[in-house]
Amino acid sequence: MTSKVRFVGSMMKTVVQAKTHIDHFSKFSPSPLSMKQFLDFGSTDACERTSFVFLRQELPVRLANIVKEISVLPPRLLATPSVQVLHSWYIQSLMEILEFLDKSPDDHRVLEMFVDVLESVRNRHNDVVPTMAQGIIEYKGAFDRQDAVTDHNIQYFLDRFYTSRISIRMLINQHTLVFKGNTNPAHPNTIGCIDSICDVSEVAQDAYESAKMLCEKYYLEAPELELRQMNANNNKEPIHISYVPSHLYHMLFELFKNAMRATIENHKASRSLPPIKVMVALGGEDLTIKMSDRGGGVPFRMTERLFSYLYSTAPRPSIEDDKQRAPLAGFGYGLPISRLYTRYFQGDLQLYSMEGHGTDAVIHLKALSTDSVERLPVFNKTALRHYKLSLEADDWCVPSKEPRDVAVYRVSK
């Protein structure tokens, strides 16, 4: 009995300490880094002590900001088992990193321990996306009432939450790979997880091959790829930019999966499938990738819905489903998270659909490493106001489903 009391007392003390630290560090805004800063730091006499001192302050700020945002979620969503587990992961990770606040950066053992803790944090958060997705499913399953305000809040929160996760993993990956990772002979220009001369067409080809393999597994066929590129700066040179290949691969893989599925389902009666066409163009400021399919498209009114975490055109799995299935297939998170990857370094992902014909997906990225700056969420009064949104009367006329018969209306008057 005494041991139980001590355990409960210890847990309560930890919770109180965590809240104090969260309140403190959430008062600070995250410090966004540019791609050039990541590259310069990793390529010119990288100093592990400098990185350690920066991260032990910056990671708590980013973690505390997003934990604060988790706390203002709708109570019924916050109370779901999955979100409770996820919340505990973030608090645990924050407390582990705070252990290094008063440690000396000159102690080599401290630096080694810090890398180990960062790897532990990264591994703990590996399943954050499907766990949160499961929490949303639990919430919608228990409270199936359609609520536009809650749906807006969930969409707003998840965009910020997953962006924060991307940024935290970026910082952790850079530190662990630069100071503990082994160099890859096949990619000598890679600094951490950034390739300073990332071959965009090569990544696109790799993403296509992976999606094709998956498509052939389920449909026994797949559309071919027509890939072209235009380098406006030098049309004889291949297109290279400083970017994170894994981020670019993720975006393209999701787009290829969607394009292949739509193409096959729209041409079931055809003997051949139209190809998926990809155009890569590099200008002075932008790197643009356009992927065009002939998958039948979607109505214009549904285009923005494709970026909603609460909407999917595929059957929804549970988190316990077969681990061999496509990543997040059915959760409806492929497109919204791909857009977050583009926006993370000031880019964007847009869809232009022609119902009855097909869809163009356009990825915009910054061509210059100095322009590719992290886009990070900050928890402040402005963010809090978004969660207190209330529905008001529309200031535009909303057309009724049945047009009014003007002749009858005049008679009745």
Side-chain angles (χ1 to χ4, degrees):
M1 184 70 181
T2 307
S3 61
K4 280 188 177 181
V5 171
R6 287 176 179 171
F7 175 75
V8 171
S10 174
M11 287 296 293
M12 291 295 292
K13 185 178 179 182
T14 301
V15 169
V16 171
Q17 288 177 339
K19 185 180 185 305
T20 302
H21 288 305
I22 291 166
D23 289 342
H24 172 71
F25 283 96
S26 64
K27 293 176 183 176
F28 300 95
S29 295
S31 303
L33 300 175
S34 70
M35 191 79 72
K36 187 176 188 305
Q37 286 175 303
F38 278 117
L39 289 170
D40 288 347
F41 179 79
S43 60
T44 55
D45 300 323
C47 177
E48 188 171 1
R49 289 178 300 172
T50 304
S51 180
F52 165 76
V53 171
F54 173 73
L55 290 185
R56 71 179 179 181
Q57 291 286 341
E58 181 63 17
L59 285 172
V61 169
R62 297 192 186 193
L63 286 166
N65 268 268
I66 208 62
V67 168
K68 270 288 191 181
E69 215 141 327
I70 293 174
S71 67
V72 297
L73 284 173
R76 290 175 174 176
L77 174 57
L78 188 56
T80 59
S82 294
V83 176
Q84 283 292 299
V85 168
L86 188 145
H87 192 211
S88 70
W89 289 347
Y90 273 77
I91 292 176
Q92 183 179 350
S93 297
L94 173 64
M95 297 304 288
E96 287 178 0
I97 293 171
L98 289 177
E99 290 291 325
F100 292 89
L101 275 182
D102 57 353
K103 298 282 176 52
S104 171
D106 296 317
D107 188 336
H108 187 67
R109 290 172 300 173
V110 169
L111 299 181
E112 288 182 344
M113 287 170 55
F114 187 65
V115 171
D116 291 339
V117 167
L118 290 184
E119 290 178 338
S120 174
V121 169
R122 182 179 60 203
N123 294 337
R124 178 183 302 125
H125 291 239
N126 277 342
D127 290 330
V128 159
V129 176
T131 302
M132 177 57 84
Q134 188 64 31
I136 300 297
I137 292 173
E138 291 165 4
Y139 170 77
K140 299 294 279 187
F143 311 101
D144 201 26
R145 184 169 55 88
Q146 192 74 16
D147 181 355
V149 173
T150 301
D151 287 354
H152 168 273
N153 288 347
I154 291 174
Q155 181 74 24
Y156 177 77
F157 166 77
L158 290 179
D159 272 346
R160 296 164 64 80
F161 176 72
Y162 290 134
T163 299
S164 173
R165 178 179 183 270
I166 291 169
S167 78
I168 290 169
R169 291 182 78 85
M170 181 74 187
L171 292 181
I172 291 176
N173 285 339
Q174 281 302 105
H175 185 88
T176 55
L177 288 172
V178 168
F179 299 112
K180 194 177 178 181
N182 298 318
T183 56
N184 186 348
H187 297 280
N189 296 293
T190 298
I191 298 171
C193 57
I194 302 172
D195 189 344
S196 59
I197 51 171
C198 177
D199 189 324
V200 178
S201 294
E202 183 181 301
V203 176
Q205 189 69 48
D206 289 345
Y208 167 78
E209 294 298 338
S210 298
K212 179 183 178 183
M213 188 185 307
L214 196 65
C215 186
E216 289 176 339
K217 177 181 176 181
Y218 285 94
Y219 294 103
L220 305 180
E221 61 177 341
E224 293 299 315
L225 170 65
E226 289 185 7
L227 177 61
R228 294 188 300 138
Q229 62 178 16
M230 171 62 69
N231 188 339
N233 302 322
N234 188 339
N235 57 17
K236 294 181 180 179
E237 291 290 327
I239 293 177
H240 295 115
I241 63 168
S242 296
Y243 208 73
V244 184
S246 60
H247 290 188
L248 182 58
Y249 175 91
H250 180 99
M251 308 168 205
L252 292 168
F253 177 68
E254 290 296 336
L255 292 178
F256 275 125
K257 279 199 306 180
N258 291 341
M260 288 178 181
R261 176 172 167 235
T263 299
I264 289 175
E265 294 187 354
N266 194 51
H267 292 83
K268 290 179 179 178
S270 303
R271 292 186 177 181
S272 61
L273 297 172
I276 296 172
K277 299 181 179 181
V278 174
M279 179 68 182
V280 181
L282 178 64
E285 292 187 21
D286 295 342
L287 179 284
T288 307
I289 306 170
K290 183 173 76 169
M291 184 182 299
S292 305
D293 69 57
R294 290 182 55 193
V298 296
F300 175 72
R301 64 178 176 82
M302 292 177 62
T303 304
E304 191 57 32
R305 192 186 300 177
L306 298 177
F307 289 107
S308 170
Y309 299 97
L310 306 174
Y311 172 81
S312 174
T313 57
R316 288 203 163 186
S318 73
I319 199 170
E320 290 85 10
D321 274 1
D322 184 5
K323 298 293 184 183
Q324 299 302 314
R325 75 165 57 244
L328 300 183
F331 279 119
Y333 282 29
L335 279 176
I337 288 185
S338 293
R339 184 165 69 173
L340 295 185
Y341 273 114
T342 64
R343 290 179 172 179
Y344 173 53
F345 278 119
Q346 306 297 329
D348 205 356
L349 168 60
Q350 298 173 332
L351 297 181
Y352 303 94
S353 192
M354 297 176 66
E355 186 183 13
H357 178 72
T359 301
D360 286 353
V362 182
I363 293 173
H364 298 281
L365 303 176
K366 295 295 183 182
L368 304 176
S369 60
T370 49
D371 293 339
S372 299
V373 183
E374 289 184 294
R375 180 174 180 262
L376 304 174
V378 181
F379 182 74
N380 53 23
K381 291 181 180 179
T382 304
L384 196 57
R385 277 199 296 270
H386 278 273
Y387 293 105
K388 295 181 178 180
L389 175 76
S390 60
L391 284 181
E392 299 178 355
D394 204 322
D395 57 350
W396 291 87
C397 293
V398 180
S400 59
K401 293 182 180 179
E402 297 295 330
R404 177 179 292 173
D405 187 332
V406 179
V408 173
Y409 175 75
R410 284 174 178 167
V411 171
S412 64
K413 290 288 282 186

